[in-house]
Structures are given as structure tokens and as C-alpha cells.
Amino acid sequence: MEREILRLGWRTDKETRVVSAGDLRGFCRDCGSRRVFLVADARVMSLHSQAVLRGVGDRLLGTFVMEASEKLKTPRTLQALWSELHRAGVSRNDIVLAVGGGIVLDVGAFAASTWMRGVRLVLAPTTLLAQVDACLGGKTAVNVGGVRNQAGTFYPADLVWICAEILTTLPEREYRCGCGEILKTAILSGSAELQEIAGGLPLPGRERTEWSRRAASACLAFKAGIVEADPEEKSDRILLNLGHTLGHALESATGFGLNHGEAVSLGILASSIMARRLGAPAGFTEEVLSCLCGLGLPVRLPRRITGLSRFLRRDKKARPEGTTWILPFGWGDCRPTLLSPDAEGELVAGALEEIS
């Protein structure tokens, strides 16, 4: 069964439709006579190629299959994709369809935003993280010099097609990776429904599939309200960076040994400790810790991390006078907080010591 769960308008004549469905068959139903170039995750294609190709039908113009690795989310991969778009003869009237998790969606959307100065874009997220967060908002990016998301564009999709059933083949670690973004959204929103969802991950099966569907609908509805008002992160959209300032640095410093959801989860926990040291209620950190444990996410650093300061300085929110951190003082109470380099160093060191 298909249902439209939201429709997001932008400050241009573009809008994004988000559809929840039980399979992948309908994601090209509205393509008309337009041809489709497919950018796909290699593992997804090894498991679901028949379903994906059946959904595209005879519109298929070409295919670019890539491994979902942060180490491959680079300008070199983007260049290879541009070459394939050129070889396939993709025109302004055609569609780029990206099928995969956040890495594949980032690269596919970046290519769509720059090819012929922008072609139509359809996203079919196949990881929990992508379904609850990465598929909506229009951010595209590649990593440069081992630092996450240094180059990118704002380019929202025309259609996002969400199929919770496809998550049943997702490895457990990748599934739990998406739970970090669910907890982030629960803290930002203060929503009772999202707090209940973030309270624990059901065992695999029908209950988990319905839990995933609810999580995607609730998370995307909250995010849509923020990005529709602030599409290019000029004001309130910065709140969505909760856990990401330290999270991105941890990913880079570990050579992407920590995946995104794990790093963001540790970033959220560390940020709550930093907020506590600035006056937040002490009990809130314990609530965050309880949620992380219930979701099966890490609450301790896997090893001693070195070189974090270099990656923190590369953060997009860093300025000569300091960096704006999103610090959670409670459910629904997250505050942009400018920290001088000295204050940041002291607070981060103290937080890392607690989670080491």
C-alpha cells in the first residue's frame, strides 16, 4: 500500500513528495517518458536488483553501482559518475535515481545537482538512517582529504520513495546506525511519540518493520518543518547538527572505523555531558545513556582517539572566534552555543574522558 506521508515545498518552484510504500515497484510511476539513470548501492543490487530494475522498467538509460564506503565518497567517485552520465547521454529531461543508504544518496544527488546544472532526482533510501534523515533536506556532499562532507550542494529530490520492508535485509550494525538519528530527532523535538520510539529497538520481524515506518514518518515530519523554513541552514536548521560536530570528527579521526550513526550517538552523549557542565540537569545525560543502551548504540569510545582537534577545526560551523555547538539541555531544549577554542577544548576533553 502506498501513501504520501508529506509534501515539502521549497523557495523555488520545486517540491519534494515523500511516499511510504510496501515495495519498490512504483518509484518511477510518475516519470512519464523520461529516461532514468540508476545510481545504486552494490549490496542492494546483489539482493534486490530484480525489484529495482522492475521498478525502472524500460526507461533505464545506464547504471552506476558503487560500494557504500565513506572512503569512496570522494571527488574521484563523483568524476567517475559524471563520466558515466556523459557516456549514457543523460540530458536535462532525464532522471537520476539513487538507490541506497546515505553515502550513495549523497553522491547520486551531488551528481544530479551538477549534471547539466541540475536534472530531476528520485531517491529510494534503503537504510534506516537514510529513511529517517538523510533522504530529506536537499544536502549533497563528498568527502575531501578524509574529512566528511567538505564539498556539496543544496539540491532537494523531486520524489523520495520509502520502503520499510527493504530494511529486513540490512545488517544489524547498519540498522542500529539509523537509531542515532532517531534519538537526535527525539531530543530536538521533545515529541512524546519520538521519545517512545527512541526508547528501544524491537527485535527483527513485523514489529520492527512497523517501528521503522513510524520512526521515518515522525522524524521526517519534524525535519520537514525545519528545512522548509530554513533550506540552506541560515538559522534554525543548524539545530539538526546535534551530535554531528563531534560525530563527524570521530568518524574522520578513526578513519571511518566508527560508522555515522555510532559516531553521532557518541557525539550526542558527549554534547549532553558538555551541556551538564554548563548547567543542564544532571539527569538528562542519564536519560540519553539509557536510550543509547536500549537502541544498542555505543556509549564508550572504542579506543583512545587522537587528532580530533584537527578535524574539529574543519567543521563547517567553525569560525576564528569559535565553533557553534548544539548542546542539549533537555528534551526539546537544544541550544546553539558558541564556544571559544579554549572553552571547547576543555569541555570536549572532559566529555571524552567520561566516555572513554
Side-chain angles (χ1 to χ4, degrees), residues 16-20 122-125 135-136 157-162 220:
T16 298
R17 291 177 57 234
V18 181
V19 173
S20 176
V122 175
L123 301 179
C135 67
L136 186 70
D158 298 276
L159 173 67
V160 176
W161 192 270
I162 294 177
L220 295 181

Side-chain angles (χ1 to χ4, degrees), residues 39-42 64 66-69 73 81 97-110 123:
V39 182
D41 177 284
F64 183 85
M66 63 176 288
E67 298 290 337
S69 167
K73 198 176 94 172
L81 176 50
L97 166 65
V99 180
I103 293 169
V104 173
L105 300 192
D106 269 355
V107 174
F110 197 152
L123 301 179

Side-chain angles (χ1 to χ4, degrees), residues 129-144:
L129 189 150
Q131 292 190 1
V132 302
D133 183 74
C135 67
L136 186 70
K139 284 186 176 181
T140 84
V142 293
N143 306 330
V144 179

Side-chain angles (χ1 to χ4, degrees), residues 86-161:
H86 171 73
R87 186 174 291 110
V90 175
S91 73
R92 285 288 298 274
N93 194 50
D94 296 324
I95 294 171
V96 168
L97 166 65
V99 180
I103 293 169
V104 173
L105 300 192
D106 269 355
V107 174
F110 197 152
S113 72
T114 50
W115 189 252
M116 300 283 179
R117 298 195 176 94
V119 298
R120 288 173 63 89
L121 175 64
V122 175
L123 301 179
T126 61
T127 65
L128 181 62
L129 189 150
Q131 292 190 1
V132 302
D133 183 74
C135 67
L136 186 70
K139 284 186 176 181
T140 84
V142 293
N143 306 330
V144 179
V147 183
R148 285 191 95 251
N149 300 343
Q150 291 290 284
T153 63
F154 287 99
Y155 195 74
D158 298 276
L159 173 67
V160 176
W161 192 270

Side-chain angles (χ1 to χ4, degrees), residues 164-165 175 202 205-216:
E165 282 75 7
Y175 210 108
R206 184 175 299 175
E207 184 184 359
R208 180 182 281 195
T209 298
E210 288 307 312
W211 179 89
S212 304
R213 211 186 311 275
R214 284 182 60 212

Side-chain angles (χ1 to χ4, degrees), residues 18-353:
V18 181
V19 173
S20 176
D23 56 47
L24 297 174
R25 286 179 297 182
F27 52 36
C28 286
R29 188 173 298 132
D30 298 334
C31 294
S33 60
R34 291 184 177 89
R35 301 175 301 173
V36 173
F37 187 94
L38 174 65
V39 182
D41 177 284
R43 186 174 187 279
V44 171
M45 291 302 284
S46 72
L47 295 170
H48 304 286
S49 61
Q50 287 188 338
V52 172
L53 296 174
R54 188 162 54 240
V56 177
D58 59 6
R59 305 175 187 87
L60 187 64
L61 185 58
T63 303
F64 183 85
V65 177
M66 63 176 288
E67 298 290 337
S69 167
E70 287 286 350
K71 294 180 179 179
L72 295 178
K73 198 176 94 172
T74 62
R76 177 177 292 183
T77 299
L78 185 62
Q79 175 66 55
L81 176 50
W82 280 333
S83 296
E84 289 303 314
L85 293 170
H86 171 73
R87 186 174 291 110
V90 175
S91 73
R92 285 288 298 274
N93 194 50
D94 296 324
I95 294 171
V96 168
L97 166 65
V99 180
I103 293 169
V104 173
L105 300 192
D106 269 355
V107 174
F110 197 152
S113 72
T114 50
W115 189 252
M116 300 283 179
R117 298 195 176 94
V119 298
R120 288 173 63 89
L121 175 64
V122 175
L123 301 179
T126 61
T127 65
L128 181 62
L129 189 150
Q131 292 190 1
V132 302
D133 183 74
C135 67
L136 186 70
K139 284 186 176 181
T140 84
V142 293
N143 306 330
V144 179
V147 183
R148 285 191 95 251
N149 300 343
Q150 291 290 284
T153 63
F154 287 99
Y155 195 74
D158 298 276
L159 173 67
V160 176
W161 192 270
I162 294 177
C163 172
E165 282 75 7
I166 202 169
L167 301 179
T168 59
T169 58
L170 197 64
E172 187 68 11
R173 185 186 179 195
E174 282 301 311
Y175 210 108
R176 293 180 185 276
C177 177
C179 296
E181 295 290 350
I182 295 172
L183 178 59
K184 178 198 80 173
T185 309
I187 293 172
L188 287 172
S189 67
S191 154
E193 179 187 14
L194 274 167
Q195 286 182 55
E196 184 260 316
I197 290 170
L201 175 64
L203 293 172
R206 184 175 299 175
E207 184 184 359
R208 180 182 281 195
T209 298
E210 288 307 312
W211 179 89
S212 304
R213 211 186 311 275
R214 284 182 60 212
S217 181
C219 286
L220 295 181
F222 175 77
K223 185 175 183 179
I226 290 181
V227 300
E228 189 167 33
D230 182 22
E232 296 184 354
E233 205 171 291
K234 306 292 187 184
S235 57
D236 285 351
R237 185 168 178 169
I238 194 175
L239 292 169
L240 298 176
N241 289 297
L242 171 63
H244 285 64
T245 301
L246 183 58
H248 284 169
L250 286 171
E251 284 183 86
S252 297
T254 60
F256 303 109
L258 283 171
N259 67 29
H260 182 67
E262 293 165 342
V264 166
S265 299
L266 290 167
I268 292 171
L269 180 58
S271 295
S272 75
I273 294 169
M274 293 165 69
R276 188 192 70 211
R277 295 184 175 208
L278 294 176
F284 181 65
T285 294
E286 296 305 314
E287 292 182 58
V288 171
L289 191 62
S290 175
C291 287
L292 291 172
C293 291
L295 294 168
L297 289 164
V299 296
R300 290 284 182 267
L301 292 173
R303 57 177 173 81
R304 183 173 178 82
I305 308 295
T306 59
L308 270 179
S309 59
R310 176 170 75 91
F311 295 106
L312 287 172
R313 287 195 299 270
R314 294 280 189 174
D315 188 273
K316 294 183 287 296
K317 301 175 294 302
R319 300 290 183 270
E321 64 274 19
T323 298
T324 298
W325 287 68
I326 309 304
L327 299 183
F329 283 72
W331 299 100
D333 182 11
C334 293
R335 306 176 190 178
T337 305
L338 179 63
L339 298 177
S340 69
D342 288 345
E344 176 185 86
E346 181 179 344
L347 286 168
V348 170
L352 292 178
E353 184 177 350

